Amino acid sequence: MNQTLFNTLTSPLLNPALDVLLKCPLKPNKFTNHIRLPYIVQNISQIQPGTKSDGRVFWNPTVISLPYWSKSQYLVVSRIVTDGNHQENVLCEANVCYTGHGENARPGEKRCTEDDILHVGSAGGMRCVTPIMTLSVPPTPAEHCEGKFGTYVDIPGFHDPRIFWSGRGEPLMMVNTQFVSPPSPLPIYLTLLIRSRYACFGLWLIDLRTLYPPLATLLTTSPKYPSLGPLKSYASLTELTRNPPSTRSAMEKNWMLFFPTTGESYIHYDVSTPRTGRTFAKLLGNGLTTTNLTDPLELPCLQNHDASEPDPAKRGGTYHQATNSLRLVLCNRSDPACLPTEANTVFFALIHRKFPNVLKLPLRYERYFIVWSASAPFSMLGISRFPILLANETASGWSPSQNWDDDPVNRKIVAQTKRLQLVENIGSFKNNKNGTTSNGIQNATEPFDGKDYWAYFTYTVSIAYARRDDDEAQGMNTGFLDDEVVLGIGVDDKGQGFARVQAGELLACLRACPGRGFG
């Protein structure tokens, strides 16, 4: 078979609109291989104005924007750092404030007060404007915490929540939980356990309006389309599963939903596993699903170059799904000719490549985006060619000066310090011949007067379209290339932040997936 025909038969049929995302406007760092985007991670504070900190530490933030008529811009769900004997999660409504002259302010944002800056920092940030509320989810029976998972049975509470909008405008929360043996000595509000019928760690869905009534009220008060709000597909806690039973695991994590139409829902289980590769299924109701619907001829899109990678810091990573998905139209909202069609619409989500340290604990989570078709058979189309860092982030595994080598100013400072060090060392060598010593710049070490590490590691929990001026609930999970995406970011398992980047910039520099093979 000639090569041209082979490429035609095996390559994915990419819409020409995707071409813009295959271009790389930025060069990767020559040491870390990351692309650094010029947008910072800003802080999130759960301390409401007029209140004081009670000492609790918040992390693992998942964020959605609220419809344009809401007085608050965002809804935030965060975990609380506990003693390890229980899990606790809280919710609040939040707004973003800005500092400086407002050149980076979005519509509706207010200037930070001195008190705001005290809590979110000099760069501005996101802050709760309603009292934080502990989320209470009812218990259900569990059956599969056995063997090595038996140590988890007395840890109540759900964890790793993900909040997102469905295709029909439902505010949903997916949670991951483990079994706890009753009766529990903890207060009732801490026994927020969900016990799996299918696994020790199961995944469940619930409509946030069930847990947070003000959200139900909000969705009935659209100025343009007053109604009773979207129907609840998950009014009560619903466990998700996968079929057939032989594909189930005792620990299920990080599934994500995607919505091709308002009446259809799919679960994306795995982007890649050694046993089954990519897997997804259609939700049928009550959490039940079809079997795996991945095209059996679809070739793997993820690549493992460990064998040929000379840098040990870049070897040994494993890919994991990380966030919910969003629907994207591959043109600009600002373009009058841009109209959504089946051909120019895709889904995207963020995945991590997780690297362990010598103790097998997290060293870093590398951020990649995947893109797949929004119509059957939902073929995988592309993945970020390089991992992505934000403007103030660093990557563990390399020195500070290597991390910031892509910053021209920092690179100049480091080079100057090293030159002075070399001159000082030469002078010291000459002086030592005469019996004298020198204790100057020769002792300089990392970061050589430049920027230091920002955090040991960061990870991305959620993605959502940023607050927009005219969105009804049904459109909250759909956006365009020039729409901003809000990333909910965890910092060192003890802090939280967010960043806002246009979708087209996040998804730039994709590598096209190989398409279908031959049976």
Side-chain angles (χ1 to χ4, degrees):
M1 180 183 297
N2 71 46
Q3 190 64 40
T4 301
L5 178 59
F6 177 82
N7 290 341
T8 301
L9 291 173
T10 60
S11 297
L13 298 176
L14 296 180
N15 187 285
L18 199 63
D19 288 348
V20 66
L21 300 182
L22 301 178
K23 299 174 182 177
C24 290
L26 299 173
K27 292 182 179 180
N29 181 300
K30 68 181 181 182
F31 297 104
T32 70
N33 212 37
H34 288 76
I35 284 179
R36 186 181 299 278
L37 298 179
Y39 307 97
I40 64 169
V41 180
Q42 297 172 267
N43 291 323
I44 298 175
S45 172
Q46 252 73 18
I47 311 304
Q48 183 188 3
T51 64
K52 295 182 179 180
S53 171
D54 58 8
R56 290 185 291 180
V57 178
F58 304 91
W59 61 300
N60 225 50
T62 175
V63 182
I64 57 172
S65 58
L66 293 172
Y68 68 92
W69 65 89
S70 169
K71 292 181 180 179
S72 303
Q73 298 168 322
Y74 295 97
L75 196 72
V76 183
V77 172
S78 302
R79 291 178 67 179
I80 294 177
V81 175
T82 68
D83 59 6
N85 292 317
H86 72 279
Q87 309 280 355
E88 190 173 351
N89 298 265
V90 296
L91 171 151
C92 76
E93 296 179 24
N95 286 333
V96 174
C97 69
Y98 68 87
T99 57
H101 299 291
E103 59 273 10
N104 295 318
R106 279 64 166 181
E109 292 181 359
K110 297 180 179 179
R111 183 183 298 275
C112 293
T113 65
E114 291 185 7
D115 186 60
D116 290 331
I117 293 173
L118 180 65
H119 290 284
V120 301
S122 59
M126 185 180 294
R127 189 177 186 187
C128 289
V129 293
T130 61
I132 57 174
M133 184 190 84
T134 300
L135 287 172
S136 178
V137 175
T140 63
E143 300 176 8
H144 295 282
C145 275
E146 300 164 350
K148 65 180 181 180
F149 297 107
T151 57
Y152 296 103
V153 300
D154 291 316
I155 306 176
F158 68 88
H159 56 94
D160 292 344
R162 302 288 190 271
I163 60 176
F164 53 92
W165 292 97
S166 77
R168 64 176 62 181
E170 303 157 288
L172 301 178
M173 181 171 71
M174 184 184 294
V175 296
N176 185 263
T177 63
Q178 70 279 347
F179 169 81
V180 61
S181 52
S184 170
L186 295 170
I188 186 66
Y189 75 92
L190 292 184
T191 56
L192 312 176
L193 59 128
I194 315 165
R195 306 176 222 165
S196 173
R197 293 172 293 162
Y198 305 111
C200 177
F201 285 78
L203 284 157
W204 303 70
L205 268 183
I206 191 167
D207 195 303
L208 273 170
R209 290 171 290 179
T210 300
L211 306 176
Y212 185 59
L215 195 52
T217 302
L218 175 68
L219 294 184
T220 65
T221 56
S222 166
K224 296 179 182 177
Y225 305 103
S227 68
L228 296 177
L231 293 175
K232 288 185 179 182
S233 303
Y234 304 95
S236 59
L237 206 57
T238 303
E239 185 169 13
L240 305 174
T241 186
R242 66 164 103 198
N243 283 311
S246 60
T247 64
R248 298 172 187 167
S249 170
M251 179 182 288
E252 302 285 18
K253 290 190 69 176
N254 298 334
W255 295 352
M256 59 186 172
L257 269 63
F258 63 97
F259 307 94
T261 68
T262 55
E264 290 184 309
S265 304
Y266 289 75
I267 304 178
H268 204 287
Y269 298 111
D270 300 293
V271 69
S272 176
T273 62
R275 187 162 58 104
T276 60
R278 180 191 181 208
T279 56
F280 70 89
K282 185 175 183 178
L283 269 165
L284 301 175
N286 274 340
L288 301 176
T289 67
T290 65
T291 55
N292 181 23
L293 297 178
T294 306
D295 182 345
L297 297 182
E298 182 175 280
L299 297 172
C301 191
L302 302 185
Q303 297 178 345
N304 187 343
H305 297 296
D306 279 8
S308 59
E309 176 53 65
D311 186 347
K314 297 176 185 175
R315 296 197 294 261
T318 54
Y319 290 99
H320 305 272
Q321 292 184 173
T323 70
N324 55 293
S325 71
L326 293 175
R327 186 181 178 93
L328 176 68
V329 183
L330 295 170
C331 51
N332 290 327
R333 182 184 292 267
S334 57
D335 180 358
C338 175
L339 298 174
T341 67
E342 183 178 282
N344 71 357
T345 304
V346 297
F347 290 103
F348 72 96
L350 188 147
I351 64 173
H352 286 141
R353 192 176 183 202
K354 181 180 178 181
F355 287 81
N357 60 20
V358 294
L359 299 176
K360 305 302 181 184
L361 297 172
L363 173 69
R364 72 176 180 275
Y365 294 86
E366 292 188 338
R367 184 185 288 124
Y368 293 80
F369 285 91
I370 55 172
V371 176
W372 66 100
S373 173
S375 57
F378 307 110
S379 303
M380 192 64 69
L381 299 176
I383 182 173
S384 302
R385 199 175 303 177
F386 305 104
I388 296 169
L389 282 177
L390 294 161
N392 51 345
E393 288 183 304
T394 48
S396 293
W398 296 276
S399 68
S401 62
Q402 290 173 327
N403 264 278
W404 295 108
D405 186 73
D406 49 27
D407 181 330
V409 174
N410 197 80
R411 188 168 62 245
K412 184 177 180 180
I413 292 171
V414 169
Q416 184 177 18
T417 301
K418 288 182 175 180
R419 281 197 301 270
L420 290 172
Q421 181 183 28
L422 180 61
V423 171
E424 183 85 5
N425 284 342
I426 293 172
S428 175
F429 175 76
K430 291 179 178 178
N431 289 335
N432 282 333
K433 286 184 175 181
N434 300 322
T436 60
T437 61
S438 175
N439 296 306
I441 197 71
Q442 62 176 321
N443 296 318
T445 58
E446 288 284 355
F448 300 108
D449 293 335
K451 298 180 189 177
D452 209 336
Y453 291 115
W454 186 72
Y456 183 68
F457 63 79
T458 58
Y459 50 92
T460 308
V461 182
S462 68
I463 54 175
Y465 285 112
R467 173 69 171 254
R468 298 182 298 218
D469 290 339
D470 58 356
D471 269 351
E472 298 293 325
Q474 293 89 332
M476 301 295 283
N477 79 327
T478 300
F480 295 78
L481 290 174
D482 54 352
D483 283 335
E484 281 192 320
V485 175
V486 176
L487 288 73
I489 297 170
V491 182
D492 287 344
D493 281 351
K494 60 182 180 182
Q496 54 183 355
F498 74 102
R500 291 176 291 187
V501 185
Q502 284 192 356
E505 293 183 76
L506 283 177
L507 301 180
C509 203
L510 292 183
R511 171 177 57 80
C513 295
R516 304 179 81 238
F518 293 98

